[in-house]
Amino acid sequence: MSVKRSRLAGSVGLASALAWLLAVPAARAASAEVDAAYPKAYALYVDLHQHPELSSVEVQTAAKIAAELRALGYRVTEHVGGTGVVALLENGPGKTVMLRTELDALPVEEKTGLPFASKVRAKDPAGQDVPVGHMCGHDLHMSALVATAGIMARSRASWHGTLMLIAQPAEETVGGATGMIKDGLFTRFPRPDQVLALHVGNELPAGQVGVASGIYDSNVDSLRITIHGKGGHGSAPHTTVDPIVIAARTILALQTIASREVKPGEFAVVTVGYVKAGTKNNIIPDQAELGLTVRTYKAEVRKQVLAAITRITNAEAEAAGAPQPPLIERFEGADAVYNDPQLTQRMRTALEGALGKDNVVTQEPLTASEDFSAYVEQGIPGFYLSLGGADPQKYAEAKRSGVSLPSNHSSLFAPDIDPALHTAIAAEVAMLRNLLGGAATTG
């Protein structure tokens, strides 16, 4: 021991060497805890994957999570902000730290070929029969949270304070967080000192995590544009005002916002995700509908882009002689997630200790969006972590070939569950123990 310590001291200093030597047994013990929790977590993952539910109707999913947490000794409250679940474990005086998972799945048909692939179909809010699949990884998030909850409940001597776990509905429609807050998440329950979450994706190989300080992802605005025309017979377009032609011109003109109006180097995306118009090939309809998603990082760019969309849409309709101005509705939206820099640095240190420095990488802001920002906007420091989900071999091949792996929301998206789930549990436990660190105070 003395020789090893001397060598380490010569290279990194005695204090660092001692910290390393002390951390090794703790890391091994934590790894053993995760290994022990993994089989049950994997079984839960398979069950959740096979039984997905759409946003705001995650009734059975929420009940499963609530039952799991209640069995571990947590004080559980259901139906918060709809189907939301809040679980508390009080362990002496100290901070309150919140860890969040999502409950909902997507209206996407799974084509992964997994033996436990979802075959579920359900009615969407419009009453349409749609396929349902966990093509965004929320099933992995839930499984990791429940496993983490178990480890924390069984190791109370390693921490103190209050652990607050929430299972949030409707993340995919970016309204679930606000719904839980409006239903008293931070007034009926303890107000947390920090809030944490993670998300799996193929941007990193499984086994690694990505850390971004400051802006983590983008603002999102969902718009529905109804363009009004004057319908008639397809053989007599001169007697009509064709809303489909107006819609086509509008779609092309909207693409000039990012390319010609936003300053080069600033991030902005205007995507038209759907067009609805008409019922028959020889009928010019009375109206056309466009669905847009708008992504930005900065508030001033967001304001500029939304104003440009309104200006261009109205101008194209007026130029075509539309009988009335278009209706532009913002029906969903969320601000960019912001990672508190001081908290981020602290979590990076904890993650490096648990996963190894090489497995904790610095990440640029993502172009995706989500409503975790609603919690941070309550004045609570937050940290949102990227979890690698790509099969390491496929990730390396994709880097070599330049062919992207399936992204979240793809019908082919499937994280490499082992080691991704192991890593998620280890990361969550490490972060929580860091923030709730120290032995529990006994009366």
Side-chain angles (χ1 to χ4, degrees), residues 3 10 33 48 154 208 212 276 307 367 384 394 400 426:
V3 173
E33 288 177 307
L48 293 169
R154 291 187 291 271
Q208 288 190 351
K276 294 180 181 178
T367 59
Y384 200 98
K394 292 180 180 178
R400 284 193 296 270

Side-chain angles (χ1 to χ4, degrees), residues 62-85:
K64 287 177 186 177
I65 301 304
E68 293 280 353
L69 296 175
R70 192 174 285 115
L72 292 169
Y74 287 73
R75 179 160 54 91
V76 176
T77 303
E78 299 180 67
H79 310 297
V80 180
T83 56
V85 177

Side-chain angles (χ1 to χ4, degrees), residues 119-157:
K119 295 179 175 58
V120 172
R121 300 190 68 87
K123 297 291 185 183
D124 69 8
Q128 300 294 316
D129 182 70
V130 296
V132 187
H134 268 300
M135 312 316 297
C136 203
H138 295 179
D139 45 358
L140 186 155
H141 304 168
M142 287 184 275
S143 305
L145 180 136
V146 171
T148 296
I151 291 173
M152 296 298 287
R154 291 187 291 271
S155 62
R156 300 188 198 197

Side-chain angles (χ1 to χ4, degrees), residues 335-370:
D335 295 340
V337 172
Y338 183 81
N339 279 345
D340 179 83
Q342 185 175 355
L343 178 60
T344 299
Q345 183 54 48
R346 182 172 177 176
M347 293 299 92
R348 176 189 284 275
T349 301
L351 291 164
E352 288 177 349
L355 306 175
K357 278 193 174 185
D358 291 344
N359 290 322
V360 182
V361 301
T362 299
Q363 194 171 39
E364 295 296 319
L366 303 179
T367 59
S369 309
E370 84 117 271

Side-chain angles (χ1 to χ4, degrees), residues 332-422:
E332 291 173 350
D335 295 340
V337 172
Y338 183 81
N339 279 345
D340 179 83
Q342 185 175 355
L343 178 60
T344 299
Q345 183 54 48
R346 182 172 177 176
M347 293 299 92
R348 176 189 284 275
T349 301
L351 291 164
E352 288 177 349
L355 306 175
K357 278 193 174 185
D358 291 344
N359 290 322
V360 182
V361 301
T362 299
Q363 194 171 39
E364 295 296 319
L366 303 179
T367 59
S369 309
E370 84 117 271
D371 64 355
F372 183 77
S373 56
Y375 306 120
V376 177
E377 287 163 2
Q378 300 301 304
I380 304 170
F383 176 67
Y384 200 98
L385 178 69
S386 289
L387 175 71
D391 177 287
Q393 288 186 332
K394 292 180 180 178
Y395 179 84
E397 178 57 34
K399 287 294 182 183
R400 284 193 296 270
S401 66
V403 178
S404 298
L405 294 172
S407 66
N408 299 76
H409 293 209
S410 163
S411 61
L412 299 173
F413 177 77
D416 186 11
I417 197 66
D418 185 5
L421 182 53
H422 275 98

Side-chain angles (χ1 to χ4, degrees), residues 53-404:
E53 294 176 295
L54 293 173
S55 302
S56 301
V57 290
E58 313 95 335
V59 177
Q60 296 303 318
T61 305
K64 287 177 186 177
I65 301 304
E68 293 280 353
L69 296 175
R70 192 174 285 115
L72 292 169
Y74 287 73
R75 179 160 54 91
V76 176
T77 303
E78 299 180 67
H79 310 297
V80 180
T83 56
V85 177
V86 178
L88 298 171
L89 187 63
E90 295 163 340
N91 190 33
K95 290 181 178 181
T96 297
V97 177
M98 185 185 98
L99 176 65
R100 171 269 220 166
T101 186
E102 317 92 316
L103 292 165
D104 53 340
L106 289 159
V108 176
E109 182 179 1
E110 181 173 354
K111 298 179 181 178
T112 61
L114 291 170
F116 50 86
S118 171
K119 295 179 175 58
V120 172
R121 300 190 68 87
K123 297 291 185 183
D124 69 8
Q128 300 294 316
D129 182 70
V130 296
V132 187
H134 268 300
M135 312 316 297
C136 203
H138 295 179
D139 45 358
L140 186 155
H141 304 168
M142 287 184 275
S143 305
L145 180 136
V146 171
T148 296
I151 291 173
M152 296 298 287
R154 291 187 291 271
S155 62
R156 300 188 198 197
S158 68
W159 62 279
H160 63 90
T162 299
L163 177 54
M164 180 179 184
L165 304 176
I166 71 166
Q168 177 204 304
E171 185 279 324
E172 295 294 353
T173 54
V174 292
T178 299
M180 292 191 77
I181 292 168
K182 287 181 178 178
D183 199 18
L185 179 63
F186 298 143
T187 54
R188 294 165 53 192
F189 307 97
R191 179 181 172 86
D193 295 283
Q194 290 101 6
V195 292
L196 305 173
L198 58 72
H199 204 298
V200 67
N202 277 340
E203 292 82 10
L204 293 170
Q208 288 190 351
V209 295
V211 174
S213 183
I215 295 175
Y216 172 82
D217 64 7
S218 68
N219 302 304
V220 58
D221 296 282
S222 299
L223 306 180
R224 180 169 48 243
I225 298 176
T226 304
I227 296 171
H228 301 284
K230 178 185 175 184
H233 201 289
S235 68
H238 59 288
T239 66
T240 74
V241 177
D242 193 335
I244 295 178
V245 173
I246 301 173
R249 289 174 176 165
T250 302
I251 292 168
L252 291 177
L254 291 176
Q255 302 314 304
T256 66
I257 297 173
S259 66
R260 288 295 179 268
E261 296 195 33
V262 174
K263 180 181 177 181
E266 298 286 3
F267 170 70
V269 171
V270 180
T271 293
V272 179
Y274 73 78
V275 181
K276 294 180 181 178
T279 57
K280 198 172 185 295
N281 67 304
N282 65 347
I283 298 174
I284 293 172
D286 287 321
Q287 65 183 41
E289 182 179 299
L290 308 179
L292 278 67
T293 187
V294 182
R295 310 294 172 123
T296 53
Y297 288 146
K298 295 182 179 179
E300 60 270 24
V301 176
R302 185 185 201 179
K303 182 178 179 180
Q304 176 190 6
V305 171
L306 292 175
I309 290 171
T310 299
R311 186 190 75 244
I312 289 171
T313 302
N314 284 327
E316 290 292 347
E318 184 176 358
Q324 66 186 90
L327 175 63
I328 303 173
E329 303 170 276
R330 179 183 181 272
F331 63 92
E332 291 173 350
D335 295 340
V337 172
Y338 183 81
N339 279 345
D340 179 83
Q342 185 175 355
L343 178 60
T344 299
Q345 183 54 48
R346 182 172 177 176
M347 293 299 92
R348 176 189 284 275
T349 301
L351 291 164
E352 288 177 349
L355 306 175
K357 278 193 174 185
D358 291 344
N359 290 322
V360 182
V361 301
T362 299
Q363 194 171 39
E364 295 296 319
L366 303 179
T367 59
S369 309
E370 84 117 271
D371 64 355
F372 183 77
S373 56
Y375 306 120
V376 177
E377 287 163 2
Q378 300 301 304
I380 304 170
F383 176 67
Y384 200 98
L385 178 69
S386 289
L387 175 71
D391 177 287
Q393 288 186 332
K394 292 180 180 178
Y395 179 84
E397 178 57 34
K399 287 294 182 183
R400 284 193 296 270
S401 66
V403 178
S404 298

